[in-house]
Amino acid sequence: MRAVIAEDSVLLRIGLVKVLEAAGFEVVAEAGDAEAALAAVAEHRPDLVVLDVRMPPGFTDEGVRAALVIRREWPDTAVLLLSQYVEERYAADLLSGDTRGIGYLLKERVADVEEFIDALRRVAAGGTALDPQVVSQLLLRRHRDPLERLTRREREVLELMASGRSNAGIAERLVVSESAVAKHINSILAKLDLPRADADHRRVLAVLRFLGVG
Amino acid sequence: MRIPTPPRLPLRPFRDARRAFALVAAGIGVQLAFCVLLAAPWLTVNPSHPLLVIAAVIAPFAVAAAATPWLTAVQRERFRALARVDIPRTPEGAGPRGIGTRAGRRQAVYHLLAGPLAALGGALTFLLGLVSLGAATVYVWVWALPVSWRLAQAGYTTQAAYVTAAGLAGLGATAWLTGALARADGRTALRLLGPSREERLARRVEDLTERRADVVDAADAERRRIERDLHDGAQQRLVSMAVNLGLAKVTLTDLPDDARKVIDEAHREAKEAIAELSSLVRGLHPAVLEDRGLDAALSGIAARAPLPVRLKVDLASRPSPTIEAVAYFVVSEALANVVKHAQASRADVTVERFGGILLVVVSDDGVGGADPSSGGTGLAGLAKRVASVDGTFSISSPPGGPTVVTVELPCAL
């Protein structure tokens, strides 16, 4: 798996390269701004691009715009965005097309190396990795009531599911058995009137659609 | 800027008699010119028809009224040059609009009433002075005037001594009266030609408002700068350190147990430091507020709150950065309070704009009894921050709840 990194902070870029290498990626190019990142993607055609949202020259949402260009031009490229804060509307922009191979995480999650590596692999494999904060913001925007019918535990499961985790991942996170997670998920899908889907990313998609994204 | 209080006239009898004399004399001069203006129709046309007579009486006054700004300038100059008193300019009335303004009308009152009265008083005082001078020097006259010119054969009599004494007293009185008159004239001029107390206060309030806004903006810009610096510096370093420690955890699997423990510990500490720094930065002035506005920033706070928060933000356009920052601070503090004290099961936040008012309401279904005067909650600081931009802050929190915090912030339209 080949990867391109675009991040303007040199310190963090070095850290990211190390983490990606630890996760088994080959970092083929590093960029300090969105222009250079797009050029590097055009040249190397990587499997994964890790983008910082705020980059020179404007330090606003250059990364998001670059991500949208990459998704349009090279749809097979997985994109993971890192941001100082998460803004669910960026997520909505990103997920409005194909949600395969999209990640959007808080920058500080990189520090949780194991989890971050897990997210990298998930995204590179065509899955989704959404920051828990994005998901809770999405839940906040949905004031309608099917959500109110969920139990507290089901809400937790829904959040983890929406952030792109597999059953095994959810089970590990909540320290319960996988069969318990499956039960929760069935109950959630029934309460929210969502289609049963076997493939992980389809299920994520359904949940995100329900939450008003895409 | 100085506080524009009317300065005191630096005049004392005798010592400043010369200056007072000059001032009063100049005043008389100005008024004489006015008298010439009044007399002009009679000296030139000499109207006889009643209507023309009325016109001839009214016209000079109209001319004087129209010339108010110019006359004011003349009087201002008289006080500045002769009494060293600077009459502060009025915000209005100095311009060509003349008596169309309140200040202009006050000035017209001075030119048509107070000024002539002072000049009349001055003329009488000078007359007294002349008579006194004559009386005080009666012996000289007795000696110097030829016999045919004298009023009577006074000679060197006791009567003449009385007259001399009276004359001297009269001179003293003249000096004192001149001073008093100059002072009174000066005070009246300051009151009528300068800005009124209301105008001075209004100007002061304007000035203070402007300066306070500058201070608030400066504080806010400083918060943003600190946020930037922390994010670009300390936070990046911490993240990179935590990444390195995390990598060590993942890759160095053959380390002895206690070394692994140390690395684990350091990694956790670093992550906690990052979280603490993040929440500190969010309290200062989060980047999301600057980039994406209130809605995005508040949804971040609401999503992080450990209880369900219903958020409704309805803004057609973004208010000024300072007002945004205050609104953000209000919601963030109020929610922090709810979490800490209210034992609530849910909270509601609405931010709406009504004309020039940004209305922020934060309510919860908790136990109530919040008291903004007690120092334990952040409510006092909240009220202060709201007051700093002329907003209003109110809280209703009966024991048993619910608590509603209402804040109105002025948005410059």
Side-chain angles (χ1 to χ4, degrees):
Chain A
M1 292 286 236
R2 296 151 73 254
V4 166
I5 294 178
E7 158 69 58
D8 57 305
S9 155
V10 179
L11 270 176
L12 197 59
R13 200 156 70 208
I14 294 168
L16 279 169
V17 172
K18 283 188 200 156
V19 174
L20 280 156
E21 282 170 351
F25 291 88
E26 179 201 349
V27 179
V28 291
E30 299 172 33
D33 62 66
E35 289 286 319
L38 286 175
V41 173
E43 185 187 342
H44 297 283
R45 296 300 199 73
D47 306 291
L48 172 73
V49 187
V50 179
L51 283 162
D52 182 5
V53 170
R54 298 179 92 161
M55 283 191 289
F59 292 100
T60 51
D61 57 356
E62 288 77 6
V64 176
R65 278 177 290 166
L68 292 172
V69 172
I70 292 169
R71 295 296 287 186
R72 199 178 58 229
E73 302 288 323
W74 306 281
D76 299 340
T77 314
V79 175
L80 176 62
L81 275 167
L82 297 175
S83 174
Q84 184 187 342
Y85 57 83
V86 290
E87 162 61 25
E88 86 279 2
R89 262 159 299 184
Y90 286 157
D93 289 347
L94 287 167
L95 298 166
S96 59
D98 185 4
T99 59
R100 301 198 52 161
I102 290 274
Y104 181 42
L105 297 173
L106 269 176
K107 239 185 204 186
E108 55 209 60
R109 307 279 180 219
V110 182
D112 291 314
V113 175
E114 286 151 306
E115 289 202 25
F116 185 67
I117 287 177
D118 182 49
L120 279 170
R121 289 187 177 141
R122 214 161 60 217
V123 171
T128 320
L130 282 186
D131 202 283
Q133 277 203 26
V134 178
V135 179
S136 45
Q137 284 185 31
L138 288 172
L139 289 171
L140 179 86
R141 298 275 180 206
R142 283 275 320 202
H143 300 316
R144 265 159 301 152
D145 320 301
L147 283 177
E148 312 220 332
R149 291 210 300 270
L150 299 184
T151 63
R152 199 184 176 87
R153 198 49 151 182
E154 284 167 350
R155 265 182 90 99
E156 285 172 356
V157 172
L158 176 71
E159 287 189 25
L160 291 167
M161 193 161 66
S163 73
R165 285 172 190 273
S166 61
N167 286 17
I170 298 172
E172 192 187 334
R173 191 65 197 262
L174 296 179
V175 204
V176 292
S177 68
E178 267 192 65
S179 61
V181 170
K183 243 184 248 149
H184 282 308
I185 289 179
N186 284 338
S187 147
I188 291 169
L189 296 178
K191 281 183 182 173
L192 302 186
D193 209 8
L194 292 175
R196 298 282 313 271
D198 300 327
D200 267 357
H201 81 265
R202 284 243 186 94
R203 196 179 63 188
V204 173
L205 191 64
V207 172
L208 290 175
R209 287 254 187 284
F210 170 78
L211 291 175
V213 175
Chain B
M1 178 195 128
R2 271 184 329 107
I3 305 173
T5 49
R8 293 191 61 84
L9 278 186
L11 289 174
R12 292 191 202 89
F14 292 116
R15 218 192 72 177
D16 293 319
R18 228 183 49 218
R19 209 187 293 162
F21 180 85
L23 184 73
V24 173
I28 293 172
V30 174
Q31 297 310 325
L32 274 178
F34 184 57
C35 288
V36 170
L37 180 72
L38 277 181
W42 277 269
L43 295 175
T44 51
V45 189
N46 199 3
S48 50
H49 192 281
L51 277 180
L52 281 179
V53 170
I54 292 172
V57 172
I58 291 176
F61 284 98
V63 169
T68 291
W70 180 80
L71 278 173
T72 303
V74 169
Q75 294 288 15
R76 210 190 285 280
E77 183 55 31
R78 172 166 76 101
F79 282 99
R80 201 187 57 73
L82 300 174
R84 296 188 198 156
V85 174
D86 258 323
I87 297 172
R89 292 195 166 277
T90 47
E92 39 173 34
R97 298 182 47 203
I99 57 165
T101 63
R102 277 176 58 184
R105 281 194 288 280
R106 276 208 319 276
Q107 291 173 10
V109 167
Y110 179 86
H111 299 313
L112 297 177
L113 190 72
L117 277 177
L120 186 66
L124 292 174
T125 308
F126 288 173
L127 198 62
L128 171 68
L130 278 176
V131 171
S132 303
L133 192 65
T137 53
V138 69
Y139 284 115
V140 178
W141 303 118
V142 166
W143 172 76
L145 286 177
V147 176
S148 58
W149 285 28
R150 293 178 197 161
L151 291 174
Q153 182 56 17
Y156 297 98
T157 55
T158 335
Q159 226 174 356
Y162 283 130
V163 171
T164 306
L168 287 173
L171 279 178
T174 304
W176 182 85
L177 272 174
T178 310
L181 210 78
R183 272 196 301 277
D185 192 17
R187 269 200 300 274
T188 317
L190 275 171
R191 200 160 305 146
L192 293 175
L193 299 181
S196 68
R197 185 160 178 275
E198 275 157 53
E199 282 163 354
R200 281 203 311 274
L201 288 177
R203 201 187 290 184
R204 179 95 179 117
V205 167
E206 250 168 62
D207 189 59
L208 288 175
T209 308
E210 209 169 296
R211 268 196 291 170
R212 194 190 55 181
D214 287 349
V215 170
V216 171
D217 288 350
D220 221 62
E222 190 61 9
R223 277 194 204 97
R224 279 201 292 275
R225 195 187 59 74
I226 294 170
E227 184 267 333
R228 278 265 176 286
D229 288 356
L230 281 177
H231 172 252
D232 293 343
Q235 225 170 357
Q236 303 277 20
R237 273 171 213 281
L238 274 173
V239 170
S240 124
M241 182 175 89
V243 167
N244 283 322
L245 287 165
L247 278 168
K249 240 170 77 175
V250 175
T251 51
L252 306 177
T253 43
D254 49 359
L255 280 181
D257 266 359
D258 45 1
R260 287 184 60 94
K261 217 177 278 176
V262 169
I263 291 176
D264 269 1
E265 189 68 22
H267 187 225
R268 211 181 49 246
E269 292 268 349
K271 284 197 299 189
E272 276 167 15
I274 292 168
E276 267 178 40
L277 196 58
S278 297
S279 65
L280 170 73
V281 161
R282 274 198 292 268
L284 279 172
H285 189 111
V288 58
L289 184 58
E290 209 167 335
D291 294 349
R292 311 276 299 182
L294 266 176
D295 190 15
L298 292 183
S299 74
I301 302 183
R304 277 188 302 271
L307 75 169
V309 178
R310 191 188 296 262
L311 174 71
K312 181 164 167 270
V313 180
D314 188 7
L315 296 173
S317 60
R318 286 183 64 170
S320 74
T322 301
I323 296 294
E324 266 187 351
V326 175
Y328 175 87
F329 178 78
V330 166
V331 175
S332 137
E333 274 300 301
L335 280 181
N337 258 321
V338 170
V339 171
K340 256 187 283 188
H341 307 285
Q343 299 159 41
S345 69
R346 58 168 314 111
D348 274 278
V349 177
T350 56
V351 179
E352 286 166 294
R353 190 165 178 170
F354 295 103
I357 297 283
L358 187 73
L359 180 70
V360 182
V361 182
V362 182
S363 55
D364 68 72
D365 60 355
V367 293
D371 179 12
S373 55
S374 73
T377 64
L379 289 171
L382 218 160
K384 274 196 196 114
R385 184 104 187 248
V386 170
S388 78
V389 292
D390 270 341
T392 59
F393 166 89
S394 64
I395 180 164
S396 141
S397 186
T403 300
V404 181
V405 172
T406 310
V407 168
E408 289 179 22
L409 301 169
C411 306
L413 285 170

